[in-house]
Amino acid sequence: MSSNPTGTRNLIGIRNLDKESIVHLIDQAADFKKRVTAGDDVPKMTKTVIGLLFFENSTRTRVSFEQAAFYLGMRSSNFATTSSSMNKGETLKDTILTLRHERINGLVMRHKSSGSPILAAKHFGGPVLNAGDGQHEHPTQALADALTIMERKGSIEGLNVSIVGDVEHSRVARSNLWLLDKLGANVRLVGPRTLLPPQPSNLPGEFCDELEEGIHGADVIISLRLQRERMNEGMISSIGEYSSLYQINAETLRYANPGCLVMHPGPINRGVEIDDVTADGEYSAINQQVENGVFVRMSAFYWCFGGGAA
Amino acid sequence: MVLRRRCGVRTLLRNGRILDPSQDLDEIGSVLIENDQVIQVGVVEDLTGIDEVYDCTGLWITPGLVDMHVHLREPGDEHKETIITGTQAAAAGGYTTICCMPNTNPPLDNPAIIDFILDRAASPEAGGVFVAPVGALTKDLKGEELSNLAAMKRAGIVAASDEGFPIQDSQVMSRAMVFCNQIGLPILAHSDDTSLSKGGCMNEGAVSAMLGLKGIPRTAEEIATMRNCLLSLHTGCPVHIMRVSTWGAVEIIRLIKSLGAPVTCEICPMHFIFTEDDIGEFDTKFKMQPPLRTKVDIELLQQGLQDGTIDCIASDHSPHASHEVDVPFDEAPFGASTIEATLGATLTYLTHKGILSPLDTIRKLSTVPAEILNLDGGTLKPEELPVAQITVIDPNVEWTFDRNKSFSKSKNTPFHRMKLKGKAMLTFSGSEIYRDAMFPAERYAIYI
């Protein structure tokens, strides 16, 4: 995203990333995947210590970054928020400064506040990788999704991709939207109006509040997790009604193109946004997304620390 | 530079452009001050015994500026600002009177604390500007029971406000208006329906959708503006709507004024200069309450300024400490340090662009706010001023606002490094309380 005199870069989001860098990150991930699965060598970064700073609960993303660090020979340190000084009232800035002076070389950060990795990068100096910030971006998830689509469909250019569900509150949706648009897909965002951005003019893609129309002719559907608290906030009438209107299942998939890929960033509410059969069906790429998450995070580390081109 | 001078001298402000909206005066002339009072305005013939002369050629001589909306943060948050630093900053901004808001800690909701404010403001270290306190409408700003407003009025408050904690219960607000109208106290209304704005941190719109920040819809301001305007219409209580930011709020105020309600309103420079786009990559300097809106809003707000719907310009000086704003955007407090840049920003973005005439500029920065709150000031008429309150402005000087040279404790301001055209050169409250470093030394002479 941005580079500094030491040759390192931050990966904060997809919006400010050029197409060339995105393609490079995906290609590098594919290469790492090939090498790791074949048991071949990958570059080692044994002198690098990476801090995993997760201020929000996460299993799959955190483990995925840990695995990526492991394959690259990096050491990773976990900073769980429950046991960190943030619980004693320390500010994010001071936490970041502390880690910097403890000679941590790079940071992976998840935080509830949109934009917080930018603040972290300002004070940390070295590479900061955004592992999800508020409702803003989740760039490595989008890269994993892109790698998955490319593996299954060959290319992203010209594909019809529908992102279905709680778009307004989804950082995954925003990163996917920017990435897919930059790589030439036709993106549609589908969901009830209360869960779509009220004024989407700064976002690419088309917006649609009806599932049938929204996934008509889709080559890929990315279903988003529905958070149950949205019901208490009055954004949906009931979980049941939401499912009846927006669930991806064998019935609704008829509107999409044959062989439509079904994706989900997880964790899934089975039976809510997606039904069991579809989640485990032959066109589901959910497990592949998880697997690819490790390789794009390897690629992200490598790129952020100045490895590779672009 | 805050100077404290002895009284009794005979001071001549010579050959400036005198702009006094209270008497529609726009002419080249001089102003004579003696024993801290304005003695003569226009042609000063008796030049005997002059002690000091300020050559104001090319400068404006105006009534001292009056700011209806300032946060001094004392008591309780002295790390952000104090009455001393805030009044010094006000003097440097060209102000001779400022109204301080009640949402301190504890709030300004009883006469004893009003006494404290007035004592501190009158101390020799303070900036020499008059501080007119605004009392809390309800006890502890909880929006439930009315404060002892009559006792606070006797202690010196000039208005009452629920600033920072807008009253949501319309019955409470209605009764507050009935009582304030009875005792002759205007209400400054913070218009925000918090059920709509809760949790939001910027304008709800295209930029919040892009940045993934929770938005504050314009309806939060407009619904509350409409309610406050309707209650003013029906109770007859003078209500001043603070810091309008949406075109819809301007339309509502225009309508309610046409129906005869005693409603006035203000705008703050941030809302006629910046938009939601200025937030860029989560820059907390641009986190305002109400939030920065859009270009369309700015255009229609400027029309509202021109046609008089928007009565005056206030700074909404809301200082914060650096450590409080160097946090993620949604955690940062609303507001910024603005009092020293408001005049320059107004001249740059409204006057020099032809949106306001020089006389209308001073009207909105001085005469009208003084009228709304029945304050001494806003005029150069000798008989209406217990002491001379005068600001001398260089409308054409080009300068760059530097927060590190500010008198305010807070360095959190969207005006940092901004190029402005126009600045206060001298501020008089009785005698000189501020002289800018850019005022040439050769323009000042002492004959003692």
Side-chain angles (χ1 to χ4, degrees), chain A residues 67-309:
Chain A
Q67 280 291 80
F70 169 76
Y71 281 128
L72 290 170
M74 300 159 77
R75 275 192 44 219
S76 59
S77 287
N78 262 300
F79 301 92
T81 45
T82 47
S83 57
S84 79
S85 293
M86 292 287 282
N87 263 7
K88 298 177 187 170
E90 187 175 65
T91 63
L92 177 61
K93 173 186 167 182
D94 285 328
T95 301
I96 299 297
L97 286 175
T98 301
L99 296 175
R100 173 181 161 186
H101 289 103
E102 286 173 345
R103 308 187 71 80
I104 299 286
N105 304 110
L107 275 187
V108 173
M109 192 174 97
R110 169 168 289 189
H111 197 280
K112 66 176 173 51
S113 296
S114 299
S116 52
I118 294 173
L119 182 77
K122 179 178 140 194
H123 294 297
F124 188 70
V128 171
L129 290 85
N130 180 10
D133 61 327
Q135 301 168 12
H136 180 220
E137 288 231 36
H138 193 353
T140 53
Q141 179 68 48
L143 290 166
D145 293 352
L147 174 60
T148 308
I149 296 170
M150 286 169 89
E151 284 175 342
R152 298 281 282 258
K153 294 285 181 185
S155 161
I156 287 175
E157 175 88 41
L159 287 181
N160 296 321
V161 183
S162 298
I163 301 176
V164 181
D166 184 359
V167 174
E168 167 70 348
H169 301 99
S170 174
R171 52 198 174 207
V172 173
R174 279 181 183 73
S175 282
N176 266 320
L177 185 55
W178 293 114
L179 189 150
L180 294 166
D181 180 71
K182 287 181 187 201
L183 295 194
N186 309 308
V187 189
R188 249 175 278 161
L189 297 155
V190 189
R193 289 187 190 181
T194 47
L195 296 178
L196 291 175
Q199 287 184 48
S201 59
N202 275 354
L203 297 170
E206 292 172 18
F207 289 73
C208 184
D209 59 15
E210 206 206 317
L211 186 68
E212 180 183 336
E213 186 191 344
I215 63 172
H216 180 78
D219 301 302
V220 178
I221 294 173
I222 302 175
S223 174
L224 300 172
R225 176 179 169 78
L226 181 75
Q227 291 180 310
R228 286 173 190 272
E229 67 256 32
R230 302 296 172 219
M231 210 173 86
N232 300 334
E233 292 168 3
M235 288 175 177
I236 54 170
S237 45
S238 71
I239 297 284
E241 187 154 278
Y242 176 84
S243 296
S244 73
L245 293 171
Y246 296 100
Q247 190 185 78
I248 305 302
N249 53 40
E251 182 78 12
T252 53
L253 270 175
R254 287 186 300 134
Y255 304 119
N257 277 345
C260 175
L261 204 60
V262 176
M263 302 173 72
H264 192 297
I268 306 174
N269 291 307
R270 281 181 185 260
V272 178
E273 62 260 5
I274 192 162
D275 76 335
D276 242 6
V277 176
T278 308
D280 299 330
E282 64 173 313
Y283 295 114
S284 166
I286 295 170
N287 292 330
Q288 197 175 335
Q289 287 173 268
V290 177
E291 187 189 10
N292 284 338
V294 176
F295 303 111
V296 297
R297 281 158 190 137
M298 287 175 73
S299 174
F301 278 139
Y302 193 58
W303 182 78
C304 282
F305 281 98

Side-chain angles (χ1 to χ4, degrees), chain A residues 15-16 113-114 119 123 174 201, chain B residues 206 209 211-212 281 326 330-331:
Chain A
R15 175 164 55 93
N16 292 328
S113 296
S114 299
L119 182 77
H123 294 297
R174 279 181 183 73
S201 59
Chain B
L211 296 180
E281 295 295 334
D326 202 4
D330 59 352
E331 293 175 14

Side-chain angles (χ1 to χ4, degrees), chain B residues 437-448:
Chain B
M438 295 175 85
F439 185 79
E442 59 271 22
R443 284 194 174 209
Y444 174 62
I446 309 176
Y447 303 101
I448 298 177

